[in-house]
Amino acid sequence: MTGVLVLAATPIGDVADASPAMVAALVEADVIAAEDTRRLRDLCRRLGVETTARVVSYFDGNEASRVGVLMDALRAGERVVVATDAGMPSVSDPGFRVVQAAIAEGIRVTAVPGPSAVLTALAVSGLPTDRFCFEGFASRKAGERSRALAALAREERTMVFFEAPHRLADFLADARDALGADRPAAVCRELTKTYEEVVRGTLAELAEWATGEVRGEITVVVAGATGPAGSVEDAVAEVLARVEAGERFKSAVAEVAAASGLAKNELYEAALAARKEPR
């Protein structure tokens, strides 16, 4: 008899959101793989849960090396529960590797559904929810982040991102430049917690707001592109016409890119090349 791997969603803020099924999963576990063992024990304390399970650390830094330990427990018929600090394991959190390994060996994988910052932010953002995509954390490196956002300029689905508070201003500024200053968005901070805050506006407005001190867990929701993108040729022509009329090159590129739905970086390179062509 092999065991079962359980992905248990934990509260993203308010401990009252913990489901009876999640509590039962902790009580019934033989092994609990916790992203932070101290937080897991504190959660159990607040829930009044007593567990006899072996609690092992399972975070980004040791996830790969812990898979073998967890798989041994599953092969021995034990019930292994994965619990991250908040939300569903494997969604921008540890869990994916052991899920893959368990599936490869035919071991049952199940989940205890529960709170999700992705869906909660999407629901309260006021942006379209019929089609959306989750982009997780953007790169810490400015160049990679800008290129990734530029590649999403024509994405028509609502986009959901996670971001660290100390990088939020840079992320929103890059999103403004790549997706357009007037693109609607929402910054969701400390969801379900005491100081929950949802700030809605354009990317330009949010980028300016974020230059102040922002704290807590951050989820950003950005509206998808609307309408067909204009042609690069027409956009380049408009940029050059604006420049000849006295407008600054970068400013012209930013405004035309936002209006046409084209990626700012793509239009910048095309317009720059056109300026260099002999007339």
Side-chain angles (χ1 to χ4, degrees), residues 190-206:
E190 294 289 89
L191 287 170
T192 78
K193 299 178 183 178
T194 302
Y195 298 104
E196 175 180 290
E197 180 181 26
V198 180
V199 183
R200 304 174 182 88
T202 65
L203 283 173
E205 292 167 340
L206 293 175

Side-chain angles (χ1 to χ4, degrees), residues 7 58 63 82 84 87-97 99 134:
L7 305 177
Y58 184 59
E63 184 178 5
V82 178
T84 54
M88 178 61 71
S90 80
V91 180
S92 282
D93 274 329
F96 177 68
R97 286 185 174 88
V99 167
F134 175 55

Side-chain angles (χ1 to χ4, degrees), residues 79-260:
R79 189 175 186 86
V80 176
V81 173
V82 178
T84 54
D85 291 346
M88 178 61 71
S90 80
V91 180
S92 282
D93 274 329
F96 177 68
R97 286 185 174 88
V98 71
V99 167
Q100 278 194 317
I103 290 172
E105 294 196 20
I107 294 172
R108 183 183 173 216
V109 178
T110 188
V112 176
S116 164
V118 176
L119 294 180
T120 303
L122 181 68
V124 303
S125 70
L127 298 173
T129 59
D130 53 336
R131 297 175 66 237
F132 70 93
C133 57
F134 175 55
E135 295 295 325
F137 284 94
S139 174
R140 293 180 174 88
K141 298 180 180 179
E144 292 180 4
R145 182 173 60 242
S146 294
R147 286 190 291 273
L149 288 168
L152 293 170
R154 301 182 192 180
E155 173 58 67
E156 296 181 355
R157 296 171 294 180
T158 300
M159 295 165 279
V160 184
F161 301 85
F162 287 161
E163 192 49 272
H166 63 281
R167 291 196 299 269
L168 179 62
D170 290 339
F171 170 84
L172 290 171
D174 288 343
R176 174 199 62 203
D177 293 343
L179 307 179
D182 295 330
R183 184 77 69 96
V187 175
C188 306
R189 188 180 72 84
E190 294 289 89
L191 287 170
T192 78
K193 299 178 183 178
T194 302
Y195 298 104
E196 175 180 290
E197 180 181 26
V198 180
V199 183
R200 304 174 182 88
T202 65
L203 283 173
E205 292 167 340
L206 293 175
E208 182 176 358
W209 166 80
T211 56
E213 185 178 22
V214 181
R215 296 181 179 179
E217 300 287 336
I218 305 291
T219 305
V220 181
V221 187
V222 182
T226 57
S231 71
V232 175
E233 293 77 10
D234 290 345
V236 167
E238 184 176 347
V239 169
L240 297 182
R242 286 177 176 234
V243 171
E244 287 183 7
E247 190 171 345
R248 292 180 59 192
F249 181 72
K250 286 187 176 181
S251 176
V253 168
E255 291 188 13
V256 173
S260 64

